[in-house]
Amino acid sequence: MGGFLIGASLSALLAVVTYAALVTFDVEQSPQDEAALVALEGDGERY
Amino acid sequence: MSGDGSEVRVRGRDFTGYRIGGAIAAALLFLALVVQGWELFDGDARTVPEVAWSAAGDAGGESILTDEILRDRTRLQSQRFRSGPSPDGTAETFKVGDAILLGNRAIDDEDAMLTEIWRLPDDESGSLLRGSERIIGISSLPYANAALFERPFARDWRLGLADVVTHVGAFAILGFSFLLALVLAVRGRVPIAKGRTDRTVKRFGLLERANHWLTAVSFIMLALTGITIAYGRTLILPFGEELLGSLGWLATWGHAMFFPPFALGLTAMILLWTVRNLPSRLDIEWLRRAGGFFSDDPDNPPARKFNAGQKLVYWSAVIGGLLMIATGIFLMFPFWFADLQTMSWIMLTHALIAVFLIAIFIGHIYIGTVGMQGAFWAMWTGDVDRNWAEEHHELWMHELDKGR
Ligand code: HEM
């Protein structure tokens, strides 16, 4: 059980650290993202 | 060891409770398979593109067809064209529900109405906007791609991802789970045939166990969040848009958050277990006899620490996991390394490997818990029953005994 607790806590801890990192270094939506959205959403799924 | 079964003290079929549980699970999974089969023929198995645009309407949640919005907006614009933005605020305001979409104040900066990328696409985004072969008409509507008539690649991709992979994946996951439940119902658990002793041997140290659970917990979180992302519309939407919204948001964050712990666990797993999982000649015999899985005879094909079945699990985790990480990194940085077409294939690959990995690890979790008596303790306390070790990992047991 000790192994499980260590592994599960480490997983949760790293997940939270990742969250913090993503929020801290969040870049504004990049031009690429925006262009991608246009390219995907506006791709006119018409036949 | 004799093959006459005279030493068999515990039989798989004696685990009545487990077998009833297996039968119930099999019945439920069978139902799920029928529903999934029905889905294939109910007309929406192939995604039909949405042709009409709509916008959220009043608080009641009704939506207004874009036709109507466009008509109103055009009327307002033509009026403005004639009179100009009214300084005294008498011009109409265009509202949908509470949201003011067009106000009556003068527009200071016309360019603010367009995102920069629409206004001045640079080379990079320009090429993205022409990501694949397109059939384009003529339109004066003020939207990017309004004139786009057809994008053949998008259609193939949607067929591949939304239609084929999603359905194949659902069948793989449900079908395999159904087979496992059926095996449990009919065959029962794989027993410690000679019965439990009160002596144990150490199988996995704390580091190995902690790392197994680090990888396992992260994998399960990635699987659950991934399933929410891929199947949310089918599985969660029936319980309400609000719920799908909240869970979808959690899943999107969670999926990125559990990638680093998974990658760390997988890397450590490679360092800890690769040598023990290299193929050997024993594996052929083991596979030929399907590991003795279906008989209660304690004389199973000989194996060292990991048998051929476990090696297959190990290599699926390693190869599948590395491919998931590689494709996942591409998906985390859209268009940094790949164009639209490549991105689409990467997403399809990510989804396809994912559904098979999930099915394989459902099988692994089955054997590690209900499927085989005594297996679970190897990863929980680290100690296994001597008879378990002798029956399933004879040669490893001998190695240990010689080492003493
Ligand atoms: C609740 C979930 C899980 C349980 C109960 C479980 C249980 C176990 C057990 C008991 C063993 C040791 C088998 C032995 O003694 O030889 C094991 C090994 C292993 N587990 Fe898990 N496991 C789970 C989830 C996972 C997941 C999600 C992964 C993949 C990332 C994984 C990867 C492995 C690998 C690679 C091994 C070594 C090879 C093998 O024994 O098949 N496990 N697991």
Side-chain angles (χ1 to χ4, degrees), chain B residues 203-204 212-213 215-217 219-220 262 266 269 273 277 305-306 309-311 313-315 317 361 364-365 367-369 375-380 384 388 393:
Chain B
R203 184 153 169 81
F204 292 113
H212 171 268
W213 291 118
T215 320
V217 168
F219 179 92
I220 291 170
F262 176 72
L266 193 71
M269 199 176 258
W273 285 345
N277 279 289
K305 178 139 184 177
F306 291 119
Q310 291 177 298
K311 289 179 185 176
V313 167
Y314 172 82
W315 288 109
F361 280 94
H364 170 74
I365 294 170
I367 296 239
T369 53
F376 181 69
W377 307 109
M379 259 325 149
W380 198 249
V384 288
W388 181 90
H393 300 274

Side-chain angles (χ1 to χ4, degrees), chain A residues 1 36 38 42-43 46-47, chain B residues 118 145 149 151 158 335 380:
Chain A
M1 202 180 75
V38 175
D43 76 353
R46 277 155 282 161
Y47 293 86
Chain B
W118 290 12
N145 284 341
F149 185 59
R151 197 156 68 87
R158 196 181 44 236
F335 305 102
W380 198 249

Side-chain angles (χ1 to χ4, degrees), chain B residues 1 282-295 297-304 306-308 389-395:
Chain B
M1 283 188 202
L282 288 171
D283 299 335
I284 300 171
E285 172 67 6
W286 192 95
L287 287 173
R288 206 183 51 74
R289 291 175 53 191
F293 185 87
F294 292 100
S295 111
D297 194 321
D299 189 16
N300 293 317
R304 297 207 172 87
F306 291 119
N307 62 41
E390 227 148 52
E391 285 172 26
H392 297 295
H393 300 274
E394 191 179 323
L395 301 173

Side-chain angles (χ1 to χ4, degrees), chain B residues 11-250:
Chain B
R11 294 195 173 275
R13 55 169 189 267
D14 297 338
F15 293 92
T16 318
Y18 284 89
R19 296 180 61 197
I20 295 174
I24 295 172
L28 293 176
L29 284 162
F30 183 73
L31 265 181
L33 272 173
V34 170
V35 172
Q36 168 63 15
W38 176 262
E39 275 280 305
L40 270 188
F41 299 101
D42 72 350
D44 64 1
R46 283 209 48 192
T47 320
V48 179
E50 280 176 33
V51 177
W53 290 331
S54 65
D58 54 16
E62 280 172 45
S63 60
I64 297 172
L65 267 188
T66 315
D67 272 13
E68 232 173 277
I69 294 179
L70 280 179
R71 202 181 324 111
D72 288 355
R73 199 172 131 155
T74 311
R75 200 184 306 121
L76 182 68
Q77 274 179 332
S78 77
Q79 190 201 9
R80 278 190 160 195
F81 181 75
R82 277 182 266 110
S83 64
S86 121
D88 53 358
T90 53
E92 266 182 87
T93 305
F94 178 60
K95 286 175 81 173
V96 174
D98 290 337
I100 298 175
L101 296 184
L102 276 181
N104 48 19
R105 276 180 297 113
I107 300 166
D108 300 331
D109 176 9
E110 261 177 65
D111 283 351
M113 298 298 284
L114 282 177
T115 63
E116 195 167 338
I117 223 72
W118 290 12
R119 207 153 31 88
L120 318 156
D122 56 18
D123 279 356
E124 212 174 330
S125 41
S127 74
L128 280 176
L129 293 170
R130 291 182 297 276
S132 61
E133 192 199 332
R134 273 136 194 256
I135 298 169
I136 294 176
I138 299 172
S139 164
S140 57
L141 286 175
Y143 303 113
N145 284 341
L148 180 65
F149 185 59
E150 188 179 321
R151 197 156 68 87
F153 174 73
R155 192 177 42 194
D156 296 346
W157 176 79
R158 196 181 44 236
L159 180 72
L161 186 79
D163 303 340
V164 177
V165 172
T166 343
H167 285 92
V168 166
F171 272 118
I173 293 171
L174 292 173
F176 192 52
S177 308
F178 168 71
L179 287 181
L180 291 172
L182 203 62
V183 166
L184 185 61
V186 175
R187 189 246 181 280
R189 307 180 88 186
V190 176
I192 302 179
K194 290 195 245 171
R196 274 201 290 243
T197 62
D198 46 12
R199 287 176 305 153
T200 57
V201 287
K202 172 113 295 147
R203 184 153 169 81
F204 292 113
L206 185 64
L207 177 64
E208 287 175 300
R209 280 178 284 139
N211 187 62
H212 171 268
W213 291 118
L214 166 66
T215 320
V217 168
S218 317
F219 179 92
I220 291 170
M221 294 306 288
L222 287 169
L224 291 178
T225 51
I227 285 174
T228 306
I229 293 167
Y231 293 100
R233 282 185 77 90
T234 314
L235 298 179
I236 302 174
L237 194 57
F239 302 98
E241 283 180 341
E242 294 266 328
L243 189 68
L244 178 60
S246 318
L247 290 183
W249 177 80
L250 277 178

Side-chain angles (χ1 to χ4, degrees), chain A residues 1-24 26-27 29-47, chain B residues 49-51 53 115-118 124-125 128-129 134 144-146 148-151 154-155 158 206 209-210 213-214 217-218 253 256-258 260-261 264 332 334-336 340 379-381:
Chain A
M1 202 180 75
F4 175 77
L5 288 181
I6 296 174
S9 324
L10 187 56
S11 173
L13 181 73
L14 283 173
V16 172
V17 170
T18 307
Y19 176 80
L22 286 173
V23 172
T24 313
D26 186 32
V27 271
Q29 199 172 46
S30 70
Q32 282 96 335
D33 290 351
E34 224 169 296
L37 280 179
V38 175
L40 290 170
E41 285 177 0
D43 76 353
E45 301 287 17
R46 277 155 282 161
Y47 293 86
Chain B
E50 280 176 33
V51 177
W53 290 331
T115 63
E116 195 167 338
I117 223 72
W118 290 12
E124 212 174 330
S125 41
L128 280 176
L129 293 170
R134 273 136 194 256
N145 284 341
L148 180 65
F149 185 59
E150 188 179 321
R151 197 156 68 87
R155 192 177 42 194
R158 196 181 44 236
L206 185 64
R209 280 178 284 139
W213 291 118
L214 166 66
V217 168
S218 317
W253 271 107
M257 286 161 62
F258 282 96
L264 178 70
M332 275 176 89
F335 305 102
W336 284 46
L340 185 61
M379 259 325 149
W380 198 249
T381 60

